[in-house]
Amino acid sequence: MRRSESILKRPDFSFNRGVYKSMGFSDKDLEKPIIGIANTWSELVPGSYNLRAVADSVKRGIYAAGGTPVEFGVIGACDGTAQGNEGMRFILPSRDLIANDVEVMVQAHQLDGIVLLGSCDKIVPGLLMAAARLKLPAILLPGGPMQGGPVFDERASDLTTLSEGCGMVRAGKLEEEELYRMENTCGPGCGSCSFYGTANTMCALSEGLGITLPYGALIPAVYADRTRIAFETGEKIVDLVLQDITADQIINEKSLENAIRLLNATGGSTNGVLHLLAVAREAGIDSKVMTEKFKEIGMTTPLVAKVNPSSKYNMEDFHNSGGIPQVMKELEPLLNLDVMTVTGKTVGDNLKNHREGRVNREIIRTLEEPFSKFGGIAILEGNLSPEGCITKPSAIKPQMHVFTGTARVFDSEETAEEAILGGEIQPGNVVVIRYEGPKGGPGMREMYKAMKYLYGMGLAESTALITDGRFSGTNNGCFVGHISPEAAEGGPIAFIQDGDEITVDIPAQRITLHVTDETLKERKAGFIPPKPKYTSGYLGLYSKLAASASRGAVVELTD
């Protein structure tokens, strides 16, 4: 018996039938599988702006396949709007709220299956966490990336061009009037941002996990194919319900290995590590197991795709070159091919149906001739980060894969940005931004603007930035994030002083603070954690319950 049937039986549940009928549903509607559509649509987020239209197509597909769709709203915040201000503290914590909201709606109403609509940075991970937690038929469908704007600085512009342009204005390289004109053109339409940041990374990883239909991640928002795949998604979710193919059959250790492989092969966002750890937790897989998988797979996966910020090509170019199915075809010998997907077929079966088109080998290369022999994500360990930290070799110039510099220490994002724009940072500096971790931030803000300002000031290739916070998927230059334990919990990053020497060594997977153990002990003596910045509201709760970044920075219940 389907879940919805059990709460719609007559006569005991006539009340429930009356609830549906008061909204116009018929007896025939209530005989069919009841399929939820969790829609993160809003007029605040470009990646969510088209989801009303996408939902309509999903509904048509559900009806055509013999199901009854029921749509409900879910929150979804914009990382872009929140960058560089207090709003960013709420972005990562929103991921757990999204997962909880979907769980509550699905379980309270005993829905038979769920289509999850979302495109952006923390929205997609939150939806994936819900799918893994609920263990019922589920498909995630993004709204698709936006197209690029006019060429600027030798590549198609995008919304981050405006942040880079701000640094250029401060450095006297760009007129303010030109920057203001670009506001009208860098984001030419809706969709998730046109570069390979966290939003599109997570959509790609959803497809890699098998919880999104093939090609579903990267079809641009404005393409007619986006409407067609939405209809197909509606049809497929009904099939999954009838076949009893549930999300836990799809999101498991093997499919997560495929996702880690894809993350590395495409040089995706460092945030992908944080989010896959969180999804794995919902699937019952220990974070230490996942960390070892990241380390092993990262060193055995060639980088076969390069997209902005690692190259001049954007998401539309990536899609038109074959997108995620083409990358997975190149990776086929390295993948777990027997994993079930939402097509009702395995990864291997799906790849047999892939038809190679015009592949741009400047975007997607083969296993035999990759961009590099190791992947786009690396986990570093050392006396500065005993629990590990994350960097992105694919977005760092090869000559900077080993970088030693002197520390300039800042206890917040804002003070670091002021120093950068004020000309206080010099070549050879390692900018240290601390007390921005899950608890200390709280909310583990992205150091997006700081990196963009370094780029705009001409310092991207002569400095490094390390933090217990995070980075945007569009950042490049030498950077290391997620340093764990964080400063607020007494991690070594709390005891760095101006002038200390720090080495980032990506090939050796090490990050080193060049002071003795005795010196660190002396500095740590008498350490008193700072008082929480928030003591009420959701951030007050999150700062108390947030796990370390090494465990996904999830809200963690403790005994």
Side-chain angles (χ1 to χ4, degrees):
M1 179 180 291
R2 294 194 305 271
R3 285 158 52 100
S4 64
E5 285 182 287
S6 68
I7 65 163
L8 292 172
K9 291 186 298 183
R10 285 170 166 152
D12 293 346
F13 291 97
S14 287
F15 178 90
N16 294 18
R17 298 178 69 87
V19 170
Y20 274 105
K21 287 184 174 184
S22 71
M23 297 179 284
F25 290 91
S26 67
D27 285 329
K28 285 189 176 180
D29 290 328
L30 301 183
E31 292 171 2
K32 301 172 183 177
I34 309 296
I35 309 295
I37 301 175
N39 194 347
T40 59
W41 172 86
S42 78
E43 293 180 332
L44 289 165
V45 186
S48 301
Y49 190 73
N50 66 329
L51 291 181
R52 269 184 171 172
V54 171
D56 286 342
S57 295
V58 172
K59 288 178 184 178
R60 290 193 295 109
I62 291 171
Y63 279 127
T68 297
V70 286
E71 183 181 359
F72 60 89
V74 180
I75 66 163
C78 181
D79 286 58
T81 303
Q83 290 290 354
N85 62 72
E86 283 295 295
M88 180 50 71
R89 300 191 191 281
F90 290 84
I91 294 296
L92 180 61
S94 74
R95 183 186 62 178
D96 289 84
L97 284 180
I98 290 166
N100 294 340
D101 284 357
V102 173
E103 178 191 16
V104 166
M105 292 298 286
V106 169
Q107 298 290 49
H109 301 95
Q110 290 295 287
L111 303 179
D112 297 313
I114 186 73
V115 175
L116 305 157
L117 300 184
S119 306
C120 291
D121 300 47
K122 309 308 167 291
I123 299 172
V124 173
L127 297 175
L128 286 174
M129 289 166 66
R133 183 186 301 174
L134 286 166
K135 298 178 175 58
L136 81 163
I139 303 179
L140 189 145
L141 178 64
M146 70 171 66
Q147 296 172 298
V151 172
F152 178 81
D153 203 18
E154 300 183 351
R155 62 175 172 81
S157 58
D158 56 64
L159 293 176
T160 68
T161 301
L162 296 166
S163 298
E164 295 171 352
C166 183
M168 292 179 181
V169 168
R170 294 296 185 99
K173 299 176 183 178
L174 186 72
E175 295 295 327
E176 285 190 17
E177 290 75 15
E178 185 175 354
L179 176 67
Y180 302 152
R181 283 195 297 271
M182 291 196 302
E183 292 177 6
N184 298 318
T185 59
C186 287
C190 69
S192 50
C193 295
S194 64
F195 47 83
Y196 199 38
T198 305
N200 289 313
T201 293
M202 293 313 301
C203 294
L205 297 186
S206 297
E207 190 173 326
L209 281 167
I211 204 74
T212 293
L213 288 174
Y215 306 98
L218 303 186
I219 298 169
V222 297
Y223 281 24
D225 275 347
R226 178 56 58 187
T227 301
R228 283 188 279 271
I229 202 164
F231 183 89
E232 185 183 355
T233 295
E235 292 182 305
K236 285 295 181 184
I237 190 62
V238 177
D239 289 344
L240 294 184
V241 170
L242 296 178
Q243 296 177 57
D244 196 28
I245 298 175
T246 55
D248 56 307
Q249 297 172 45
I250 295 169
I251 300 176
N252 52 46
E253 195 164 325
K254 282 189 172 183
S255 66
L256 283 161
E257 288 175 357
N258 285 346
I260 295 171
R261 189 81 68 183
L262 181 64
L263 175 66
N264 277 278
T266 57
S269 168
T270 53
N271 287 317
V273 177
L274 198 71
H275 299 321
L276 288 179
L277 285 169
V279 174
R281 177 179 176 273
E282 297 292 350
I285 302 168
D286 186 80
S287 59
K288 291 181 180 179
V289 172
M290 286 293 291
T291 298
E292 289 305 311
K293 289 182 184 297
F294 275 110
K295 290 164 66 176
E296 176 190 347
I297 292 173
M299 297 306 292
T300 59
T301 305
L303 180 70
V304 300
K306 272 197 171 188
V307 194
N308 179 10
S310 299
S311 78
K312 66 181 181 181
Y313 297 102
N314 62 21
M315 301 314 296
E316 185 175 20
D317 300 322
F318 193 8
H319 169 70
N320 290 332
S321 193
I324 300 308
Q326 184 63 44
V327 173
M328 294 183 73
K329 190 69 176 177
E330 306 295 350
L331 296 176
E332 191 167 8
L334 303 177
L335 297 176
N336 296 315
L337 300 177
D338 58 344
V339 176
M340 178 58 68
T341 74
V342 291
T343 64
K345 301 177 181 178
T346 65
V347 170
D349 291 334
N350 291 343
L351 291 179
K352 288 177 184 176
N353 294 328
H354 172 63
R355 296 291 177 265
E356 186 173 304
R358 293 184 178 180
V359 181
N360 182 344
R361 291 301 179 186
E362 292 185 8
I363 302 174
I364 302 174
R365 290 190 180 176
T366 64
L367 276 181
E368 294 72 28
E369 296 182 344
F371 289 102
S372 71
K373 292 182 180 180
F374 57 89
I377 299 293
I379 292 183
L380 312 183
E381 294 177 337
N383 70 337
L384 183 48
S385 187
E387 292 180 7
C389 51
I390 311 297
T391 189
K392 184 176 177 180
S394 61
I396 301 173
K397 299 276 184 164
Q399 62 269 28
M400 297 187 71
H401 282 189
V402 179
F403 184 89
T404 297
T406 54
R408 286 296 313 277
V409 183
F410 303 93
D411 288 346
S412 72
E413 175 188 7
E414 289 82 359
T415 54
E417 290 168 0
E418 290 172 8
I420 294 168
L421 293 177
E424 297 178 29
I425 305 303
Q426 302 299 317
N429 284 161
V430 176
V431 178
V432 179
I433 306 179
R434 61 192 180 191
Y435 295 104
E436 292 289 2
K439 291 180 180 294
M444 205 178 177
R445 292 191 290 178
E446 292 180 347
M447 303 302 107
Y448 162 83
K449 280 191 173 181
M451 291 300 297
K452 291 301 179 184
Y453 291 162
L454 287 172
Y455 177 93
M457 298 289 283
L459 294 167
E461 296 183 19
S462 59
T463 60
L465 193 155
I466 69 172
T467 181
D468 53 7
R470 302 181 292 117
F471 291 98
S472 163
T474 184
N475 284 135
N476 50 24
C478 187
F479 59 90
V480 180
H482 308 198
I483 289 178
S484 303
E486 62 177 289
E489 292 197 299
I493 190 173
F495 311 114
I496 302 173
Q497 295 181 2
D498 280 342
D500 284 348
E501 193 173 76
I502 296 170
T503 295
V504 175
D505 189 337
I506 295 173
Q509 296 182 290
R510 301 294 294 174
I511 183 167
T512 305
L513 174 62
H514 295 285
V515 301
T516 65
D517 291 344
E518 290 74 18
T519 299
L520 270 180
K521 287 180 182 178
E522 289 173 5
R523 293 180 183 179
K524 189 172 184 176
F527 171 73
I528 300 175
K531 293 181 179 180
K533 297 184 179 78
Y534 288 78
T535 56
S536 62
Y538 181 52
L539 284 186
L541 177 67
Y542 182 80
S543 64
K544 280 190 175 183
L545 299 179
S548 168
S550 64
R551 300 197 302 279
V554 294
V555 170
E556 188 172 71
L557 299 178
T558 56
D559 295 332

